[in-house]
Amino acid sequence: MTRDERLLAYMQNRLDPDDRIAFEADMAADPAVAAEVDVMRAVRAEFEERAEAPDAVAGWRRLEMAIEADKRRPANENRAPRLALWQVAAVVAAALLTWETAVAPQIGAERGGYATVSEVAAGPALRVAFVPSATIGEIDAILVDLGGTITDGPGALGLYRISFVDDAARDSAEAALAARTELVELVTAE
């Protein structure tokens, strides 16, 4: 029996005589236990002083029931937030997987700026290294304007392979990309 359980049993006169004597000895030896008993007695006295109020005894019973309910609560209730965190992570992972496999290819196909890496590149191509601060939105926007499609990359050196429908489109895109130094670090024809 824990210290709180013994205190509550003592206050409710539920301790057998030997346990009651032992608890009173603990109370005499430990001022903290004696202080807790004094607090409990003061609370009980406060409730009893309000005897004219019909809910005084009921209030004491509610306090006892709250203490009992607290004792039955699991020792570690922090597992529930971890479960919720794993659920959120699973939902996010599923959403990303769905986006990458179903939505992004469809959007790219409609706009002409996305193709899977495994897709065989048709036609002339450029090797392009974008600046590290370039966003996917900026890259996609320029490729849509130039009629280019990412068909490979980024590779180990950060190079993308951009394919075009013909040599003229590739050559004009090479000149346009070379002029965009705020977005492109390197551009070479294949």
Side-chain angles (χ1 to χ4, degrees), residues 48-141:
E48 289 171 358
E49 283 179 13
R50 297 180 187 194
E52 67 276 357
D55 63 340
V57 174
W60 181 255
R61 294 284 179 235
R62 277 196 303 269
L63 179 61
E64 288 175 340
M65 288 182 349
I67 292 171
E68 287 294 325
D70 193 48
K71 288 190 311 189
R72 287 188 295 265
R73 187 175 300 151
N76 184 0
E77 290 190 76
N78 291 336
R79 294 173 193 238
R82 285 191 184 145
L83 178 61
L85 182 61
W86 283 108
Q87 289 172 337
V88 169
V91 168
V92 169
L96 286 173
L97 181 64
T98 301
W99 177 265
E100 289 296 324
T101 59
V103 178
Q106 293 302 319
I107 291 172
E110 291 170 6
R111 294 174 53 196
Y114 179 87
T116 61
V117 172
S118 60
E119 183 177 311
V120 176
L126 295 173
R127 291 280 178 195
V128 179
F130 294 100
V131 296
S133 62
T135 65
I136 294 297
E138 292 171 328
I139 294 170
D140 188 48

Side-chain angles (χ1 to χ4, degrees), residues 10-77:
Y10 178 78
M11 293 302 298
Q12 295 173 341
N13 292 323
R14 292 187 295 140
L15 289 177
D16 62 57
D18 293 336
D19 287 339
R20 186 171 188 82
I21 291 169
F23 185 78
E24 288 173 348
D26 288 347
M27 201 168 49
D30 188 352
V33 174
E36 288 179 9
V37 170
D38 289 342
V39 167
M40 292 296 282
R41 283 182 180 151
V43 170
R44 178 170 245 169
E46 179 67 28
F47 278 114
E48 289 171 358
E49 283 179 13
R50 297 180 187 194
E52 67 276 357
D55 63 340
V57 174
W60 181 255
R61 294 284 179 235
R62 277 196 303 269
L63 179 61
E64 288 175 340
M65 288 182 349
I67 292 171
E68 287 294 325
D70 193 48
K71 288 190 311 189
R72 287 188 295 265
R73 187 175 300 151
N76 184 0
E77 290 190 76

Side-chain angles (χ1 to χ4, degrees), residues 129-134 142 175-187:
F130 294 100
V131 296
S133 62
I142 197 167
L177 288 171
R180 298 288 306 266
T181 56
E182 79 285 356
L183 188 63
V184 177
E185 284 184 344
L186 172 74
V187 59

